[in-house]
Amino acid sequence: MPIRPVPLALLAAVGLAGTTVLLTLPRGEAASAAALPPPPAEVVRPAGQQTAVLAGGCFWGMEGVFEHVRGVVSVTSGYAGGTRGSANYGSVSSETTGHAEAVRIVYDPAKVSYGQLLQIFFAAAHDPTQVDGQYPDRGPSYRSAIFPQNDAQRQLAAAYIAQLGKAHAFPKPIATKIETGTFFPAEAYHQDFMRRNPNNGYIQRWDKPRLARFKAAFPQLYVG
């Protein structure tokens, strides 16, 4: 994964259930302080373990954030948006497969809601205003996307994106797309990469700040 300098940005206030904290957002040269509203309430919270699939740049950092969320059972790095035959790192890196690097999150909805996962996704796990890339990584495989696993998730994701846009929560338009596609796990060496390689240069520069933003913004949802 290439490393290029990306300007760091200012501060944004992120709210959860009435709580506001400050965190550093990457990029956004003209960023202004804005409160990120919580998502719409789920009409019916499902019972039993559920699955969410989200794409927000390098899956190392996305996995590293969501595995620290209270109520998350497991996080798997992988690919979504293309075919099974092209779901491998070499092919996806060619930017010709339609895949995005993504994570599959298995969670307990009694402890964390899908809406809360989306709020973490937009507020701390990545920059949803970057188009076809994330931080130093450029190309559609690093795009911001949500892959709903059912109609309820799709409706909630669409409503939240519209809500954030109407509230002008970000200084630039939200680039996140709602897509369809099967999730395919990535190679074994990508799994738990951040936990197994805490001193890796890429992890130190780009992914640990994601985790720090999440911990600062959502202390009630963070688990060590």
Side-chain angles (χ1 to χ4, degrees):
M1 296 182 181
I3 297 180
R4 304 179 199 170
V6 175
L8 296 180
L10 313 174
L11 295 175
V14 177
L16 174 67
T19 301
T20 298
V21 296
L22 291 177
L23 70 157
T24 301
L25 287 178
R27 204 167 175 175
E29 293 80 355
S32 60
L36 191 70
E42 295 180 56
V43 177
V44 177
R45 183 170 293 196
Q49 291 185 359
Q50 301 293 310
T51 301
V53 176
L54 304 172
C58 176
F59 42 32
W60 296 346
M62 288 282 288
E63 181 186 56
V65 168
F66 284 101
E67 69 180 5
H68 285 280
V69 176
R70 185 197 69 210
V72 167
V73 178
S74 67
V75 187
T76 304
S77 289
Y79 313 104
T83 65
R84 180 183 298 275
S86 62
N88 61 80
Y89 191 66
S91 295
V92 173
S93 296
S94 73
E95 302 297 354
T96 61
T97 67
H99 276 297
E101 290 196 12
V103 292
R104 179 178 63 199
I105 304 163
V106 177
Y107 66 98
D108 180 354
K111 297 178 180 178
V112 63
S113 69
Y114 184 68
Q116 287 172 313
L117 294 177
L118 290 183
Q119 192 175 16
I120 294 167
F121 173 70
F122 282 107
H126 81 309
D127 178 356
T129 69
Q130 293 192 38
V131 179
D132 279 349
Q134 197 66 203
Y135 311 141
D137 301 314
R138 310 312 304 167
S141 68
Y142 298 106
R143 66 188 182 272
S144 175
I146 299 171
F147 294 85
Q149 302 300 289
N150 52 53
D151 287 341
Q153 288 188 2
R154 183 174 297 276
Q155 292 173 13
L156 183 60
Y160 195 33
I161 291 174
Q163 177 186 351
L164 294 176
K166 185 176 181 180
H168 301 290
F170 297 96
K172 297 179 181 179
I174 293 173
T176 308
K177 303 298 183 184
I178 298 176
E179 302 186 25
T180 58
T182 302
F183 177 88
F184 303 101
E187 296 82 350
Y189 67 89
H190 286 301
Q191 306 303 330
D192 298 315
F193 190 91
M194 184 171 170
R195 178 176 58 79
R196 293 185 294 104
N197 301 276
N199 297 320
N200 175 275
Y202 185 98
I203 294 294
Q204 289 281 341
R205 176 65 181 89
W206 301 105
D207 291 338
K208 282 198 172 181
R210 302 200 208 193
L211 183 59
R213 289 195 301 274
F214 162 58
K215 184 177 181 180
F218 305 95
Q220 59 273 62
L221 290 177
Y222 177 85
V223 292

